[in-house]
Amino acid sequence: MSLRRAQPQEGFLSLQRDLLRKGALYEDRDFPPILRSLFTKTRPSVSLQWKRPKDICKTEPKFFTKGISRSDIAQGRMLNCWFVAAVASLTDSEELFYAVCPPDQSFDHGSYCGMFRFNFWRFGEWVEVIIDDFLPTHNGRLYYARSSDPAEFWSALMEKAYAKVCGSYEAMGLGRISEALQDFTGGVIEIINLQTPPPDVHKVLTKAHDRHSLMGASIETPARDVDKSLPNGLITGHAYSITGVAKVTLPSFRGIPEAKLIRLRNPHGNSSEWRGPWSDRSDEWNLLSAEERKRLNLVFDDDGEFWMAMEDFQSNFTRIEICMLTADSILEPDERRSWKIQREKGRWQTDASAGGCRNFIDTFHINPQIRIRLQDPDEGDDEHHCSIVISLMRTDRKRTPANDKPPIGFAIYKVPDDMKDNKTRFDRRFFETTKAQAMTNSFTKLREISSRYSLPPGEYVIVPSTFYPRQEAEYLLRIFSEKPHEAREVDVETKIMRLAKPEISTNDAEDIDKSFWKTFQKFAGEDGEVDQYELQEILSQAFATVMNSNLFSLEACRSMIAMFDIKLAL
């Protein structure tokens, strides 16, 4: 696996050359070392100072000191254990890690200019995030994430880059380990509820581990009990990374031939570890042969990492989050092994495409409709079915509380044979009289919901929706399959309408201009950018009178953006 995505973009290289030529250090204007980069609502309880590593470290700072390991990052004074646990899991794969955190960076003279870069997968594409190296400190020490080696700074800088993506350090207090794992890999998330688990959880985890999936676990609890230490050493409301799965042979006199074990790591990276059977230095380890102990590479340190029996794990933890690697995760795709992916981006818009779930049959049909044709069954499938994994992601531009997010889900309908040639959208009557072939078990406020299906060859329509009508959000629908299949969104026909040119006075023109600018600012936000959906709303509202309250064509808005997109023109 090569590191194609780890190569710096030309903009970074050009800026780096300019800074080195001038002997200047980079200062990030988009994420400056000021209060608004730290918080948006709650000010830190202590006074923080922004310092560069050379002013923090007593020796020469290093990006890496001795390669990478799970001990290279420990949680700081922020409730972002989910992020730290995800980073710890990422260090188990050098290829994936170095794709996110490029290794060709340092504080060495001749290449250092106070600027670092990281790569994150954001809603369907890899994005290079550039930061300066000012870091929040208190009493001269790093306040947030840090390495066990005080001279090593990749983990603190990577956390800052992710904070920039989220909007502030405080915004990182909201999140799940699976979300960070997905942003590191582009993989698909699978959630296992340990209160209603599959038959053999250990087998599921073993297969996932063998396929290099990244995994985490947590003990869900009411908000008032978050970060509560239990007598057994575990912490509630806390994200742990799963770092190993194993079976060990036991002596025959115990009557049990083997034990199923799982290894976890507490992102605090300290002595807060499991204290029950198979914990560090517990008597159970004396039952194993020297070969077994060596195979497990046992380390009994107060480093936050520990083993526990599978039954104890299932008794204490409530949730497992697995990030399955896909072709989006592979840096140079191997066509023989990688999943085939098709992506559809869209938006649920009030009174236009936000029809709610099937319970609201009057409006369900206005939801986006994506046609997919399955025509090549899986090899070795006795039923000659086609396997697909469908992932629906709400593309949140900013981190917001779960209660503010509309629940999302999707349904799949088989297209009747006599309607395959009909490329128009299905109306209300179709959904009233047609039973869904498959659907998500529930609607979720999590960022993503995904499911695996095995369907007969044929044509299907996927209907992604929010639970209630008129709930607005943007989404990314990804369809994964072992064989290539056809997929496309069924859109309304785009027509150009010739309107009589209205007579507009100078005063009226100024009013329209003010109205347009006000509307633009409302939808564009701080970044001053709009996509085709936002442009449609801006134009429709600003020119409501001229358009007789009709919506601008979505395709026309796409075309207008393409005409003025500098990136496309280069």
Side-chain angles (χ1 to χ4, degrees), residues 78-93:
M78 179 167 48
L79 297 178
N80 67 340
C81 57
W82 58 278
F83 170 80
V84 176
V87 174
S89 293
L90 189 69
T91 60
D92 286 339
S93 169

Side-chain angles (χ1 to χ4, degrees), residues 294-497:
K294 184 178 180 180
R295 177 174 66 87
L296 296 179
N297 192 26
L298 294 179
V299 177
F300 296 146
D301 289 334
D302 291 336
D303 55 1
E305 192 166 56
F306 55 88
W307 290 89
M308 61 191 305
M310 199 64 203
E311 54 267 28
D312 289 327
F313 170 75
Q314 288 190 239
S315 297
N316 286 276
F317 284 82
T318 61
R319 179 189 185 88
I320 298 173
E321 300 177 56
I322 301 175
C323 180
M324 301 177 289
L325 303 186
T326 68
D328 268 1
S329 317
I330 298 174
L331 306 177
E332 288 288 359
D334 182 336
E335 291 298 330
R336 293 171 298 175
R337 295 184 299 171
S338 63
W339 286 77
K340 305 299 182 290
I341 303 182
Q342 291 169 340
R343 306 171 183 85
E344 292 289 342
K345 290 185 177 181
R347 181 175 185 174
W348 294 294
Q349 182 177 336
T350 300
D351 297 331
S353 57
C357 71
R358 176 65 173 71
N359 295 349
F360 303 91
I361 194 61
D362 289 344
T363 55
F364 182 69
H365 65 283
I366 73 172
N367 284 304
Q369 299 179 19
I370 292 88
R371 288 275 194 106
I372 178 170
R373 180 178 297 168
L374 307 179
Q375 51 192 7
D376 196 355
D378 299 343
E379 295 177 6
D381 189 292
D382 295 336
E383 296 182 334
H384 301 289
H385 282 191
C386 306
S387 293
I388 62 171
V389 174
I390 299 176
S391 159
L392 177 64
M393 177 187 296
R394 186 194 310 100
T395 54
D396 304 319
R397 297 186 182 276
K398 295 181 180 179
R399 291 194 174 275
T400 54
N403 291 336
D404 296 338
K405 301 174 181 178
I408 59 173
F410 58 85
I412 307 171
Y413 292 82
K414 183 80 166 12
V415 176
D417 291 339
D418 60 351
M419 301 182 69
K420 287 182 179 179
D421 294 331
N422 184 351
K423 303 304 180 184
T424 59
R425 292 172 54 87
F426 292 108
D427 58 14
R428 170 181 168 174
R429 178 168 176 75
F430 172 82
F431 294 109
E432 279 182 327
T433 58
T434 306
K435 183 179 179 181
Q437 188 84 7
M439 64 178 64
T440 49
N441 293 329
S442 61
F443 279 66
T444 181
K445 289 190 174 184
L446 297 179
R447 188 172 74 174
E448 181 188 33
I449 186 168
S450 62
S451 296
R452 179 189 295 266
Y453 302 99
S454 180
L455 301 172
E459 193 161 337
Y460 298 84
V461 59
I462 304 170
V463 184
S465 73
T466 56
F467 185 81
Y468 293 104
R470 301 175 63 83
Q471 291 184 310
E472 295 194 341
E474 295 180 11
Y475 69 84
L476 169 65
L477 183 76
R478 292 190 290 168
I479 304 169
F480 302 83
S481 58
E482 294 185 6
K483 301 290 182 69
H485 298 297
E486 228 180 89
R488 65 180 180 84
E489 182 175 0
V490 184
D491 203 354
V492 294
E493 182 182 1
T494 302
K495 295 181 179 179
I496 298 177
M497 299 172 58

Side-chain angles (χ1 to χ4, degrees), residues 187-204:
V188 175
I189 303 304
E190 181 179 0
I191 305 295
I192 296 177
N193 183 353
L194 289 175
Q195 295 173 331
T196 56
D200 190 340
V201 176
H202 191 268
K203 184 177 180 180
V204 172

Side-chain angles (χ1 to χ4, degrees), residues 37-330:
S37 297
L38 293 174
F39 70 96
T40 53
K41 293 182 180 179
T42 306
R43 180 188 289 265
S45 58
V46 298
S47 176
L48 299 181
Q49 297 80 41
W50 294 85
K51 294 185 178 182
R52 296 188 189 267
K54 62 184 180 64
D55 299 319
I56 302 172
C57 191
K58 295 180 180 178
T59 60
E60 285 295 318
K62 301 289 184 183
F63 194 65
F64 298 110
T65 52
K66 299 177 180 178
I68 56 171
S69 71
R70 294 186 292 275
S71 64
D72 287 346
I73 182 168
Q75 185 179 351
R77 298 291 298 275
M78 179 167 48
L79 297 178
N80 67 340
C81 57
W82 58 278
F83 170 80
V84 176
V87 174
S89 293
L90 189 69
T91 60
D92 286 339
S93 169
E94 286 192 0
E95 292 87 355
L96 293 173
F97 177 84
Y98 288 134
V100 175
C101 183
D104 58 344
Q105 306 184 85
S106 73
F107 291 90
D108 296 342
H109 179 73
S111 63
Y112 170 70
C113 60
M115 181 172 64
F116 293 86
R117 74 184 198 282
F118 298 85
N119 300 306
F120 300 117
W121 185 91
R122 299 292 290 171
F123 312 129
E125 60 183 7
W126 286 90
V127 177
E128 183 180 68
V129 178
I130 299 173
I131 58 167
D132 60 33
D133 61 350
F134 280 106
L135 296 168
T137 68
H138 178 60
N139 292 333
R141 296 182 178 181
L142 290 174
Y143 192 70
Y144 297 125
R146 64 196 183 281
S147 171
S148 56
D149 185 337
E152 186 175 55
F153 284 90
W154 71 259
S155 55
L157 292 168
M158 183 172 171
E159 182 186 53
K160 178 177 181 177
Y162 201 76
K164 179 178 179 178
V165 168
C166 295
S168 69
Y169 275 90
E170 183 189 27
M172 292 181 69
L174 300 170
R176 291 185 175 273
I177 184 173
S178 57
E179 294 180 2
L181 290 175
Q182 188 171 61
D183 290 342
F184 297 158
T185 66
V188 175
I189 303 304
E190 181 179 0
I191 305 295
I192 296 177
N193 183 353
L194 289 175
Q195 295 173 331
T196 56
D200 190 340
V201 176
H202 191 268
K203 184 177 180 180
V204 172
L205 295 182
T206 300
K207 283 187 175 182
H209 189 262
D210 291 344
R211 293 170 181 165
H212 306 289
S213 298
L214 307 181
M215 299 179 285
S218 58
I219 304 172
E220 295 183 302
T221 186
R224 64 179 180 276
D225 294 328
V226 168
D227 263 0
K228 179 180 179 182
S229 295
L230 301 176
N232 59 21
L234 299 177
I235 302 175
T236 59
H238 198 55
Y240 291 78
S241 48
I242 297 175
T243 61
V245 187
K247 285 183 181 180
V248 294
T249 303
L250 299 179
S252 57
F253 67 83
R254 287 180 61 89
I256 304 174
E258 63 183 15
K260 298 177 180 179
L261 304 179
I262 182 170
R263 186 176 64 197
L264 299 104
R265 182 179 184 269
N266 173 5
H268 285 167
N270 56 22
S271 58
S272 297
E273 299 180 4
W274 166 249
R275 301 192 187 112
W278 299 101
S279 59
D280 286 7
R281 303 181 183 86
S282 68
D283 293 340
E284 283 78 10
W285 294 113
N286 297 325
L287 300 173
L288 303 187
S289 65
E291 290 76 14
E292 284 273 56
R293 292 163 64 94
K294 184 178 180 180
R295 177 174 66 87
L296 296 179
N297 192 26
L298 294 179
V299 177
F300 296 146
D301 289 334
D302 291 336
D303 55 1
E305 192 166 56
F306 55 88
W307 290 89
M308 61 191 305
M310 199 64 203
E311 54 267 28
D312 289 327
F313 170 75
Q314 288 190 239
S315 297
N316 286 276
F317 284 82
T318 61
R319 179 189 185 88
I320 298 173
E321 300 177 56
I322 301 175
C323 180
M324 301 177 289
L325 303 186
T326 68
D328 268 1
S329 317
I330 298 174

